[in-house]
Amino acid sequence: MVFFRVVSALSKLRSRLVQQPSLTSTVRWLQIETSSDLDLHSQLKELIPERQERLKKLKSEHGKVQLGNITVDMVLGGMRGMTGLLWEASLLDPDEGIRFRGMSIPECQKVLPAAKPDGEPLPEGLLWLLLTGKVPTKGQVDALSKELRSRAAVPDHVYKAIDALPVSAHPMTQFTTGVMALQVQSEFQKAYEKGISKSKYWEPTYEDSLSLIAQLPVVAAYVYRRIYKNGQVIPKDDSLDYGANFSNMLGFDSPEMHELMRLYITIHSDHEGGNVSAHTGHLVASALSDPYLSFAAALNGLAGPLHGLANQEVLLWIKSVVDECGENITTEQLKEYVWKTLNSGKVVPGFGHGVLRKTDPRYMCQREFALKHLPKDPLFQLVSKLYEVVPPILTELGKVKNPWPNVDAHSGVLLNYYGLTEARYFTVLFGVSRSIGICSQLIWDRALGLPLERPKSVTMEWLENHCKKSA
């Protein structure tokens, strides 16, 4: 009971954080002080009963409260703007951007443990935060990093499944194939077939999720080395953390690239539940599909040009600017090229967002990284010029709600600078990162007993008749 009262007090303090910024340091202190156990699984066993009661109370006392009205535009516009999902790990504000368990990206950069002083957050720390709502200590992050390394061995049949595909197959196709091949080890599937109690669903889901997160960099690196490095695989290094190990297995061992990979994985990990990959993972998992099947489905959504494939398109477009106009392009030349792209019926990739109405904070932290480490890089300087040129042009068009750059406008240029130049592979990096958010939520889906997702659909005739009656 004492623990629950502490958690309740913490929850109340955190809910006041937005209104009272002065409480920030107090809340962070409480988060750190109430998170002492090094074992993540034990932390969740303590947290889950309180959250289950909280959900039960919310449903019984406020289940009939309306959250808004559905319009025909929403139905025809891809359900855009409808509030219809519970997603605990993060919340996306149109103006402030993403918050991970209430914390902005700059706040996470300040309080999450890093590999070195003033370094980028360790992705393991964000995983702990998304699962528990608490800022972990360095000891907890190190323990989780060690556990992930212990789970990272990939069975030989996974490599054989990937090798059955042509080397020319898209990296995302090969990556998703590897994830599907991992599915045969699912602890959730085995437990379900034996008749596990619903109240225990979260435990084998936890086992699957942590193993999946641990194995993904190994599979992803294998795909990269198979396609681009003549199959010369680099084994994992048990002395390195999650992000640095992934970078090293890809073939990039510079400390700066390790830092970039830590930042990349952290900021791409989650973006609330309505984006295609997160929603797909949640939807498939609601049918009690195991984490491997659910995440493979999420990856297939991520591979679409309007979602994760956009980071590939940005770098290719930027390189097309350089090919036609040279690296020392003037502002006026750049304006002409942007108008040329728009007038041809295409979009300028990397600008705009379905929810955000200001510059993506994920773009800004990557910009800060570039200003610190590669301020004179020609492609970064071009990206900076685009930041000045594109928003006014899109505003002039009058059709764009958000003319500002998103996360994809910057990531490719950073990766390219450190030698990861193969744009077709970029979405695989995104996929590895997104596993942290999707799997964190999936564990809570099971713990809270969230039901099968089944929205109501209607025909165009139904909509027309309904509108006639309303008129």
Side-chain angles (χ1 to χ4, degrees), residues 31-46 113 124-125 127-129 131-132 134-148 150-151 206 210:
Q31 286 175 318
I32 293 171
E33 289 303 301
T34 57
S35 182
S36 58
D37 196 320
L38 294 181
D39 182 56
L40 182 57
H41 186 272
S42 298
Q43 289 273 316
L44 285 173
K45 288 194 76 170
E46 291 183 337
E124 300 92 314
L127 174 58
W128 189 290
L129 175 66
L131 276 172
T132 69
K134 302 174 186 177
V135 174
T137 64
K138 184 61 164 61
Q140 289 170 327
V141 170
D142 288 344
L144 180 54
S145 185
K146 182 179 180 180
E147 179 177 359
L148 290 174
S150 73
R151 293 171 176 263
Y206 173 91
L210 257 66

Side-chain angles (χ1 to χ4, degrees), residues 332-350:
E332 289 304 314
Q333 286 177 312
L334 190 55
K335 287 181 180 179
E336 290 178 8
Y337 194 90
V338 170
W339 276 114
K340 176 183 175 181
T341 299
L342 295 171
N343 290 334
S344 67
K346 300 177 182 178
V347 299
V348 179

Side-chain angles (χ1 to χ4, degrees), residues 36 83 136 143 211 352 399:
S36 58
T83 301
S211 294
K399 299 179 181 180

Side-chain angles (χ1 to χ4, degrees), residues 419-468:
L420 211 170
T421 59
E422 299 86 0
R424 291 180 84 229
Y425 184 79
F426 289 170
T427 312
V428 176
L429 303 177
F430 200 157
V432 172
S433 309
R434 189 50 58 92
S435 68
I436 291 177
I438 290 176
C439 289
S440 293
Q441 180 59 38
L442 176 50
I443 292 167
W444 278 104
D445 287 350
R446 297 282 196 264
L448 297 175
L450 298 189
L452 177 70
E453 185 179 325
R454 180 59 172 88
K456 172 65 177 171
S457 65
V458 294
T459 64
M460 193 179 299
E461 181 181 10
W462 187 97
L463 284 174
E464 291 169 342
N465 292 335
H466 179 81
C467 292
K468 289 177 182 177

Side-chain angles (χ1 to χ4, degrees), residues 257-391:
M257 182 58 168
H258 288 182
E259 278 289 273
L260 174 60
M261 192 61 71
R262 292 172 187 129
L263 176 65
Y264 184 100
I265 293 173
T266 297
I267 65 175
H268 285 81
S269 63
D270 204 38
H271 218 230
E272 78 167 27
N275 64 78
V276 172
S277 57
H279 186 193
T280 302
H282 174 81
L283 170 63
V284 174
S286 77
L288 292 186
S289 297
D290 63 61
Y292 298 94
L293 296 174
S294 303
F295 187 67
L299 286 177
N300 288 326
L302 190 68
L306 296 183
H307 191 16
L309 209 65
N311 54 13
Q312 166 184 315
E313 301 301 313
V314 170
L315 184 62
L316 294 176
W317 184 81
I318 289 175
K319 287 187 174 181
S320 74
V321 176
V322 174
D323 290 342
E324 184 166 323
C325 306
E327 288 185 346
N328 298 317
I329 185 172
T330 66
T331 300
E332 289 304 314
Q333 286 177 312
L334 190 55
K335 287 181 180 179
E336 290 178 8
Y337 194 90
V338 170
W339 276 114
K340 176 183 175 181
T341 299
L342 295 171
N343 290 334
S344 67
K346 300 177 182 178
V347 299
V348 179
F351 284 79
H353 192 274
V355 178
L356 288 170
R357 294 297 172 259
K358 290 186 178 180
T359 300
D360 192 336
R362 299 173 299 174
Y363 173 93
M364 292 307 299
C365 70
Q366 290 181 101
R367 176 174 172 78
E368 290 166 5
F369 185 96
L371 288 169
K372 180 179 179 180
H373 296 290
L374 48 135
K376 296 182 180 180
D377 176 58
L379 289 185
F380 168 58
Q381 293 178 345
L382 177 54
V383 166
S384 296
K385 286 182 181 178
L386 286 169
Y387 191 22
E388 298 174 7
V389 167
V390 175

